[in-house]
Amino acid sequence: MAGFREYKIGSKMFGIALGGSMTITLFFPSINIASVSSTDIALTKQLQMGHETGFNLDDPMMLGWNKPLGVTLKADPKTGQALASDTVVFVYKKGTSFPAGILHPRILGEGIQQLSVEQGHVGDARKEVGAVFTLSKGTYQGKQYTYIENLTATKGWTPSDVMHVAKDEDVSNAGKGKTMFVREGCWWCHTLLPEETQDWQVFGAPPMLGDFNGESPTAFGSDRKAPDLLHVGSRNSSKEWMMMHFFNPRLVQPHSIMPRFDYLWGEKDASGNKIDFVKWRAEYDEYREGKRVTPPDVPSYASDSEIRGLIDFVLSLK
Amino acid sequence: MLKYLFAKNEDIPSGSSAIFFGFSAIVWFVIGTGMGSYNAAKLAFPDFVTGSELFSFGHMRQVHVMIVIFGWISMAFAMAMMYITPALGNNKLWSEKLGLWNCMLWNIGLTLGLTILWAGVTSGREYSDFPWPVDLYLASCVFIPLGINVWMTIINRRTQGIYTTNWFFAAATFMVIIVFLVGNLPEFFHLTGLTEAYLTWWFAHNVLGLWITPVAAAIAYYTIPKVTGNPLYSHRIGHLHFWSVVVFYSTPAAHHLMSAPLPEWLKSFASVEGVLILVPAIAFVSNILMTMQGKWHMFVENIEVRFTITGCLMAIPLNMQGGFQQTRAINWYIHGTGWIVAHAHLALLGFSTFLEVAAVYYGLQSIMKRKLYSITLANLHFWLLLIGFTTYWVSMTIAGLIQGAGKIYEVPYIDVVIAEHPYMIARWLGGSMVFTGNVLWLYNMWMTARKGTVVPQGRLPHELAYER
């Protein structure tokens, strides 16, 4: 029962060793990471993705609930006057959870935090009534920053004002789409992290230190079996190509090993007709065997379908 | 087994929880490798099964990984702890009842967690894929009860000293709880951005470095001296192994994110610390191989020794890769390629699994006091695992080098996919061999329990392996 005296010393040494290791690998990096300021990319991403795109209690089955909408506005939703340039705003309808940067402006970084709170009034945003956010430019202590502006507080634009004037083609469901990206495991093959090699030439620049503030999960991916997607929207911005590629990747790339995501279309197509998947697959098999000259047409997706969100998300990766 | 859940602790036969854990682990291994083989088939033949959300690659890939880590490997560890810890303390397990409940809660929680994971409900964080309620369940109903049972058995031992294996068991069960609770902080408290990304890989690195690697090695420190009858070559080298695991293996987590925008000092630190894992690795492999002195014939004759030594020998290439692939010069080429997939399977399916398979073979025979039903099936199991794994490892390493070359020479990605195709088929064939071997194993162990020759009092099962 009684041990050696050395075991007491050993237990203490063990505590020191593991504690020291955790100090170096957790505490020290946390000082660095906490001081990182958000880039414009990080601000846009968190406003577009919302609070959380992995499992959370507001979207327990990961169906894309509780997500904001991105809206491109051409005119002031209150007065109807044309805006100087197209403005992208992010609409959080009543009850939608706010992203980390609104709840904890400290994570936005020096300057951005102060501007977002003092001039952007992000602290006045209320989940019970919803809010509309956009990115604005401002000056803090002589330096220019992009900050988050709560348009509901500064201009009185409510979510229903904005959605009233928004046409369907001006609305982006990229927040819901990021949930689909995580749920469907796109990131098991497609990384969101071009590597520090000649990879840059093909897939674009790797991300900057501040590109992730407020994003969860980051879903970098580690096991790349397919092209990097961080800037895919800049390489290919065709909705039609994306539609065919998601429905059956072999329609546009015969050697692709990507799975078919036709099930994300749901039951009905854009005109409300039931999609006959069995017929489509049978006709596609005939095409593949050379019995048909052209493959069957890909059904157009409904505006509330899961694939709509995923395509919006992929195209938002500029 | 289930009738003992509500029995008095002293009425439960010794070893019951080890048997329950052992068979659970084998069943999970069969399911996990079957799913791995299916996933590999999807990569080789993308139209193999289509039109179903549940059977798409993105829904099943993480289920395969979670089954083999938390179903097979961790349960085989628990099985080994349930019989090795008391054997080395010359006492009984602190509570067989706790062990049985632990195993049942483990099976139930894992089944539920995997079901929702399969449906796509995930945290989106690699290796900590389970949503946070499942993480809390695993910490409180799986790892903490396991730790309590191991620690109390060691505290109540009837020997003065503590043997090497039990230091590792005690420390690793403690460290895995810390790793689980700290690594999932982003999910518990909604930490975002680089903190989330870094802690994801801090968890992934340390669950391997402070749980899987040390416990697998600890098992070999028991199996080889016990089966060969030789004393451990050097306890001092065992000390070196233990302390260098704690100090060096817990530090290089950032080497998984060498191409991510993390602080440069952290990446350089991780790169250098990563080389130092050669210290515990060399200590372990040399200690085990030196213990074999004069008993090398058992490498051929004895199934447990053959599995263990093969696993130890695979630790050599494993650590030669592991010690250097995080250096910037090498990481640049192989990061994110199939090379890493091959390396991960060398660690979990090569090194670690071979050591645990030996412990499960040996433990089930000695607790049930029954000789192995068929040594032929056991040999077949060994060769299917070894040849299947080797096929997998070689093909994925080559595929990884092709991907690396494609990456730095700016080859259009689709040409890389075409070039990899034959290796994807080889990978699937290798994985299927491993799966087939495990089905035979499950049958063999089931028949051992039912029909194995009873081992007489005072004899060890492996002494009778070739007697009729």
Side-chain angles (χ1 to χ4, degrees):
Chain A
M1 178 72 196
F4 295 113
R5 181 172 59 95
E6 283 82 348
Y7 289 164
K8 281 195 179 131
I9 302 170
S11 311
K12 285 177 191 152
M13 293 298 289
F14 176 76
I16 293 170
L18 194 63
S21 147
M22 287 174 68
T23 306
I24 298 172
T25 60
L26 292 174
F27 179 63
F28 291 171
S30 77
I31 298 174
N32 286 122
I33 293 174
S35 68
V36 171
S37 270
S38 304
T39 58
D40 292 7
I41 291 174
L43 296 175
T44 313
K45 265 200 293 191
Q46 61 173 302
L47 286 178
Q48 178 66 80
M49 308 312 168
H51 185 65
E52 168 69 44
T53 48
F55 168 82
N56 64 95
L57 294 178
D58 293 317
D59 185 11
M61 293 309 292
M62 304 209 28
L63 298 170
W65 296 347
N66 199 41
K67 294 293 177 297
L69 297 168
V71 177
T72 309
L73 283 179
K74 296 182 171 64
D76 184 318
K78 275 272 192 219
T79 62
Q81 279 180 334
L83 295 167
S85 59
D86 287 4
T87 307
V88 178
V89 300
F90 301 96
V91 178
Y92 284 69
K93 290 183 185 168
K94 191 170 87 175
T96 309
S97 307
F98 294 138
I102 305 287
L103 301 173
H104 315 286
R106 205 175 54 79
I107 69 153
L108 297 174
E110 178 76 15
I112 308 170
Q113 173 195 352
Q114 286 81 356
L115 284 169
S116 301
V117 172
E118 289 155 21
Q119 297 189 26
H121 296 283
V122 293
D124 298 342
R126 289 287 163 268
K127 189 178 169 183
E128 304 83 61
V129 291
V132 180
F133 299 104
T134 193
L135 294 186
S136 304
K137 299 255 187 245
T139 315
Y140 178 76
Q141 294 183 343
K143 272 195 189 163
Q144 264 243 324
Y145 293 100
T146 307
Y147 67 94
I148 300 176
E149 185 179 351
N150 174 7
L151 293 168
T152 311
T154 57
K155 292 190 179 168
W157 295 2
T158 63
S160 54
D161 290 340
V162 175
M163 294 318 292
H164 193 65
V165 297
K167 293 198 205 80
D168 191 51
E169 63 262 31
D170 297 330
V171 177
S172 164
N173 280 319
K176 179 181 178 178
K178 172 80 185 284
T179 306
M180 300 302 136
F181 186 84
V182 172
R183 186 189 77 188
E184 294 302 322
C186 307
W187 53 290
W188 289 124
C189 301
H190 294 280
T191 48
L192 291 176
L193 186 70
E195 309 224 357
E196 295 173 333
T197 58
Q198 284 85 337
D199 225 24
W200 293 356
Q201 309 282 336
V202 182
F203 297 128
M208 307 294 285
L209 203 52
D211 279 357
F212 305 100
N213 290 22
E215 189 183 5
S216 173
T218 42
F220 289 153
S222 67
D223 173 12
R224 189 201 279 176
K225 297 184 272 293
D228 187 273
L229 295 184
L230 190 66
H231 304 290
V232 65
S234 304
R235 293 199 297 275
N236 183 346
S237 58
S238 162
K239 262 189 194 178
E240 287 69 31
W241 190 92
M242 292 291 166
M243 207 172 99
M244 292 173 76
H245 188 248
F246 275 118
F247 200 83
N248 185 338
R250 262 75 61 201
L251 287 174
V252 287
Q253 177 45 269
H255 298 289
S256 169
I257 59 166
M258 184 168 126
R260 303 182 195 181
F261 288 96
D262 46 5
Y263 53 82
L264 293 180
W265 262 248
E267 297 270 297
K268 300 206 168 134
D269 66 9
S271 10
N273 300 322
K274 202 167 175 352
I275 304 174
D276 192 345
F277 290 105
V278 178
K279 179 162 165 268
W280 196 96
R281 286 177 196 133
E283 288 180 358
Y284 174 75
D285 287 343
E286 285 172 17
Y287 161 71
R288 201 164 49 173
E289 289 155 19
K291 293 179 194 156
R292 272 175 70 108
V293 180
T294 53
D297 285 338
V298 173
S300 48
Y301 51 83
S303 63
D304 60 347
S305 59
E306 293 182 333
I307 192 63
R308 157 76 184 274
L310 190 53
I311 289 180
D312 283 355
F313 170 70
V314 170
L315 292 178
S316 80
L317 295 167
K318 293 290 183 190
Chain B
M1 283 303 142
L2 297 177
K3 70 184 175 194
Y4 292 128
L5 286 171
F6 296 100
K8 280 188 187 156
N9 190 37
E10 49 277 23
D11 295 340
I12 305 174
S14 286
S16 297
S17 45
I19 295 176
F20 194 7
F21 267 121
F23 276 99
S24 303
I26 300 174
V27 170
W28 282 115
F29 196 21
V30 171
I31 302 171
T33 47
M35 205 169 250
S37 161
Y38 176 87
N39 287 345
K42 294 280 280 185
L43 290 173
F45 313 106
D47 283 331
F48 172 43
V49 175
T50 54
S52 157
E53 177 159 6
L54 283 185
F55 294 99
S56 71
F57 180 82
H59 279 255
M60 292 178 70
R61 191 256 195 213
Q62 63 273 45
V63 180
H64 158 67
V65 175
M66 291 293 116
I67 290 179
V68 294
I69 292 181
F70 294 112
W72 156 240
I73 290 177
S74 297
M75 273 200 170
F77 284 172
M79 185 272 178
M81 288 172 183
M82 293 296 110
Y83 81 91
I84 294 176
T85 313
L88 292 171
N90 196 15
N91 62 347
K92 285 187 170 180
L93 188 67
W94 183 64
S95 170
E96 283 290 345
K97 195 168 174 175
L98 178 63
L100 290 172
W101 273 99
N102 190 3
C103 184
M104 198 187 66
L105 291 176
W106 195 327
N107 279 319
I108 292 172
L110 195 62
T111 308
L112 290 176
L114 291 166
T115 307
I116 63 166
L117 189 66
W118 196 335
V121 179
T122 168
S123 65
R125 305 173 65 226
E126 190 167 357
Y127 289 107
S128 35
D129 307 76
F130 284 128
W132 58 263
V134 180
D135 294 328
L136 284 179
Y137 180 95
L138 289 179
S140 58
C141 300
V142 168
F143 289 114
I144 291 177
L146 176 68
I148 289 173
N149 224 350
V150 169
W151 303 325
M152 291 310 289
T153 305
I154 294 175
I155 288 171
N156 291 316
R157 70 191 180 279
R158 297 196 297 176
T159 57
Q160 191 177 19
I162 302 174
Y163 179 66
T164 317
T165 297
N166 274 353
W167 312 336
F168 276 102
F169 282 176
T173 44
F174 173 74
M175 291 189 292
V176 75
I177 295 168
I178 300 288
V179 169
F180 232 83
L181 294 177
V182 175
N184 284 305
L185 283 177
E187 291 172 51
F188 301 148
F189 298 107
H190 199 251
L191 309 179
T192 57
L194 282 180
T195 315
E196 184 270 324
Y198 177 54
L199 274 171
T200 298
W201 289 101
W202 189 88
F203 174 89
H205 177 80
N206 286 321
V207 81
L208 291 162
L210 302 181
W211 172 242
I212 292 176
T213 314
V215 180
I219 287 173
Y221 279 137
Y222 174 78
T223 323
I224 290 297
K226 179 74 184 174
V227 178
T228 60
N230 278 352
L232 183 65
Y233 174 69
S234 164
H235 277 251
R236 287 260 169 99
I237 297 178
H239 279 270
L240 176 67
H241 178 198
F242 179 83
W243 288 103
S244 54
V245 161
V246 177
V247 175
F248 297 144
Y249 220 141
S250 60
T251 46
H255 71 207
H256 294 263
L257 287 166
M258 291 296 284
S259 56
L262 280 177
E264 285 301 318
W265 73 264
L266 184 60
K267 288 197 254 177
S268 299
F269 174 75
S271 185
V272 174
E273 288 284 304
V275 181
L276 293 175
I277 69 152
L278 287 171
V279 176
I282 293 169
F284 165 66
V285 174
S286 55
N287 211 357
I288 293 294
L289 295 187
M290 293 302 277
T291 305
M292 284 294 289
Q293 283 177 95
K295 296 286 169 66
W296 277 99
H297 58 94
M298 295 187 85
F299 181 41
V300 180
E301 294 162 1
N302 180 280
I303 193 73
E304 290 89 5
V305 171
R306 195 193 308 155
F307 265 111
T308 310
I309 294 301
T310 309
C312 288
L313 292 174
M314 284 201 267
I316 298 170
L318 170 70
N319 290 292
M320 295 310 286
Q321 289 187 328
F324 294 104
Q325 65 193 12
Q326 86 290 358
T327 56
R328 287 174 196 254
I330 296 175
N331 196 265
W332 170 75
Y333 199 87
I334 57 162
H335 181 262
T337 67
W339 171 288
I340 304 295
V341 183
H343 173 74
H345 282 79
L346 181 57
L348 295 186
L349 177 57
F351 160 69
S352 164
T353 286
F354 275 66
L355 305 187
E356 290 138 40
V357 166
V360 175
Y361 265 118
Y362 184 75
L364 285 180
Q365 289 180 72
S366 33
I367 299 162
M368 300 192 298
K369 296 194 174 57
R370 279 174 188 273
K371 212 175 92 174
L372 206 55
Y373 172 68
S374 163
I375 193 88
T376 311
L377 281 178
N379 282 330
L380 199 54
H381 179 217
F382 174 84
W383 288 109
L384 281 170
L385 242 61
L386 185 63
I387 297 172
F389 160 73
T390 309
T391 310
Y392 184 101
W393 185 74
V394 171
S395 61
M396 284 313 291
T397 300
I398 297 173
L401 292 172
I402 293 172
Q403 277 176 290
K407 183 167 77 176
I408 66 163
Y409 294 116
E410 300 168 37
V411 176
Y413 206 92
I414 195 63
D415 293 340
V416 177
V417 173
I418 294 167
E420 280 182 301
H421 186 238
Y423 303 99
M424 292 293 145
I425 296 173
R427 161 198 220 181
W428 166 64
L429 291 174
S432 305
M433 285 172 81
V434 172
F435 169 63
T436 313
N438 288 333
V439 174
L440 297 180
W441 188 31
L442 179 60
Y443 172 74
N444 198 8
M445 293 324 283
W446 183 255
M447 293 306 284
T448 302
R450 296 274 138 194
K451 296 222 173 107
T453 312
V454 176
V455 176
Q457 196 71 31
R459 301 295 303 275
L460 293 170
H462 66 269
E463 295 169 356
L464 314 172
Y466 292 96
E467 291 175 17
R468 288 190 183 273

